[in-house]
Amino acid sequence: MRRRILLLHAHPMPHRSRVNRHLVTAAESIAGITIRHLYELYPDYMIDVDAEQKLLLDHDIIVLQHPFFWYSAPALVKEWLDLVLQYGWAYGEGGTALQGKSLLQSVTTGGAAEVYCSAGRNRHTVREFLLPFEQTARLCGMTYLDPFVVHGTGQLQTEADLAPHSQAYCTLLSNLASGIDLPPSP
Amino acid sequence: MSDPGFFQSALVYLTAAVISVPIAKRLGLGSVLGYLAAGVGIGPHVLGLVGGSSSSSEVMHIAESGVVVMLFLIGLELKISALWRMRGTLLGLGGSQMLACGMILGVGAWLWGIELKSALLIGFILALSSTAIVLQTLREKSLHATAGGRHAFATLLFQDIAVIPLLAILPLLASTSASAANDIHSATHLSGAMQGLAICAAIASVVLAGRWLLPFLFSYIANAGLREIFTATALLLVLAIGGLMSLVGLSPALGAFVAGVVLASSPYRHELEGDLEPFKGLLLGLFFISVGASMDLQLILKDPLGITLLLAGFVIIKGSVLAALGKLFNFAPGATPLYTLSMFQGGEFAFVLFSQATTLGILTLDQSARFNAIVALSMALTPLALLAGRNWLKPPTDSDATPHREADAIEHSSPVILAGFGRYGNYVGRLLRSQGFRPVVLETDAEHVELTRRLGFEVHYGDATRLDILHAAGAQHAKLLVIAISDEETIDLLVATARRHFPHLEIVTRATGMDHRLRLIQQGVHHVFHELAGSALDAGTQTLRLLGIPAYPAERAARKFRRWDIESARDLAPIRLQDESAYFAIIRERVANLESLFRSDPTHEGSADAKAWQPPSSPKTPPAQT
């Protein structure tokens, strides 16, 4: 059974984005995917909660794609989580709307992969930094998939640098869409 | 008008009022006592400036329309729903007051040696209190909204109704021929059933006209744009209703009250209030003067002891009954003394009823003169009693105002007055209403008023630059005045009026352009908004987006521009008036700096120094995008 993917893309300055833009453009080729650019939709941060909830209900896989700003997501993503994942809807008493769905996070970091470990300069792995998102998904009864991470964006200047990443991204997304399960995050 | 007598009387009445009322007020006695004293002074027994009983009774007649206008205005402040909420007090308390006071005073009169039937009639006549005195005094002392004040008001309203049967009973008690009875009142030409029918028809026509006909009339007159004709229409309306009511034998004041209640929810309410208020004051003053002038000083001086005893008996009996009622009806603390001290006097209807009773031979001339005298004296005592009462009742009576406001029908207040409900004001109004605020909306375009009301808004017809309209809209209690008027001069006028008379009001105003805005800021208005800035910046934001600027940077640019614009206006305002060339120099400089100011925004596309979120383009590990 095909699963429907909702890709929520959050970049405050898409004109200055390179890797994220490349990834999101590639994702457009996935059949049946819904792509939403949060900063284009809500430049004034006035998130339409009803519309967002309805979209969530209509999809099985939710992808949060954003640059890794200050070991987390851009501010609008936080606002989105705060407003859309309401008590009694997403969690808490009667909050079962998202149960059984999956959350995939897709992040790009400036730092190379090596700096994201206990011995590295950032002292933690990306997974560890994304812990609040993971627990948010779990509290809402969602499966938190192993995040898709592109490291060292500064080094990825040419089309040839970027192509392997977008190919990997598309493979992952089309596998998810056709129901081939990723190993859920350990 | 060429009659010199008119100028002479006007001169006498006005001079007497101008001299005595401010003195009485300064002494803390209240305006009512001042008017009464002025009346005594110019009356036949002191200066003799106003003549015998015939002319003064004519003046009294004109003056009574003051009471009519007053009740119309009180009606205007009471919506039907509020009146309905009062029904219990009105019938229960009002009925008990008339019955108890009437019976006991009647027995008193009987013991004093008057034949039983006449004695009871006198009792009921004396049970009436003076609407004019009580309401005027209570308002002056701001006691009308307290529990005691509301009880007094309900009782007075019932008394106005009770006058009808009293007038009807009079001829039945008459010992003289029926022909004498015939000319006391036009209504008595009709049989009882016919009169009842006529009364119902009259009230129904007032209600129906008030609901369907008058709004059209007012909107027609208002559209003509002649203020004095609007005032004339208002006066005509009140007097016509008064006339109609007395034609069917109803108290004119009661009729005017009914009309007022019907019009309470009309958009012209504030305008009517503003227009009639000065007439009410003057006519009531005239009324009090004529009461003073009609006081028979000779009689009082001839038999001071007899009159004093009679007065004391009356006041003590009526006062005790009122106090007992307060206990019986479980008044809130402090309400009983206020009720007693404000209601113990005789009413203006007593003069009418006593004179008719004399014509009918029910009372002798001497009796009616004595009763008239004690009624007038008791009226004069009222302000004094309240004054004394305030000093010796331990908590001053107005302290009960706060905890017992629940059914405060006369009060209406909104923290916001919104002047202008056109293309601009309706946005402000709808936004406020979306958050549960109901501004008092004032609008001068009568057609607009009708339309907006049909859309379900409470809009009042009235020119907000008029002081009386602002008063009627509750400016003294409001917190905010929002000016959404389009005309620059009108905005300036309203700002000036509001700042002079209601300095506590915070003003939020629309400005028609940059210069106007600077002028308003310079005058110390804090919240000044260029009427086009919001829409123009929205259009600009959209244009930027269509030019390919992403939504978020475009949004930030517009907001930054808005902030810069407001700051510029604030900085430029003081310079604008002082030094024109410096002003233009600064403007040039600011405009020149604009681009660099915006380039520095972290989201700006061309910004070389954008330091947020994204590394410039160096491959080195940046701090932000980790």
Side-chain angles (χ1 to χ4, degrees), chain B residues 417 479-484 491-500 502-510 520 523-529:
Chain B
I417 297 172
K479 287 196 188 73
L480 298 166
L481 169 66
V482 182
I483 304 175
I491 295 175
D492 290 342
L493 183 60
L494 179 50
V495 167
T497 309
R499 286 173 64 96
R500 189 167 340 112
F502 309 101
H504 70 282
L505 272 183
E506 190 138 9
I507 299 174
V508 176
T509 186
R510 167 182 180 177
L520 287 166
Q523 284 166 22
V525 183
H526 294 300
H527 314 287
V528 181
F529 297 95

Side-chain angles (χ1 to χ4, degrees), chain B residues 245-304:
Chain B
M245 289 300 155
S246 42
L247 207 64
V248 298
L250 206 59
S251 133
L254 189 68
F257 175 76
V258 171
V261 171
V262 173
L263 288 173
S265 46
S266 127
Y268 299 96
R269 177 180 130 198
H270 285 125
E271 186 82 359
L272 285 170
E273 266 174 19
D275 278 345
L276 291 177
E277 195 65 40
F279 287 98
K280 179 198 88 174
L282 273 182
L283 289 170
L284 270 185
L286 199 56
F287 170 77
F288 295 133
I289 292 179
S290 45
V291 169
S294 70
M295 231 185 263
D296 193 345
L297 286 187
Q298 244 160 1
L299 177 74
I300 298 169
L301 292 176
K302 212 166 56 192
D303 184 10

Side-chain angles (χ1 to χ4, degrees), chain B residues 533-550:
Chain B
S535 165
L537 286 175
D538 284 349
T541 311
Q542 188 58 33
T543 309
L544 287 176
R545 290 182 66 170
L546 294 171
L547 285 169
I549 306 283

Side-chain angles (χ1 to χ4, degrees), chain A residues 16 40 68-71 116 121, chain B residues 551 613-614 621 624-626:
Chain A
R16 293 177 64 84
E40 290 296 304
F68 201 46
F69 282 0
W70 284 113
Y71 310 105
Y116 288 97
R121 194 160 44 84
Chain B
W613 297 309
Q614 190 95 340
T621 318
Q625 192 189 347
T626 38

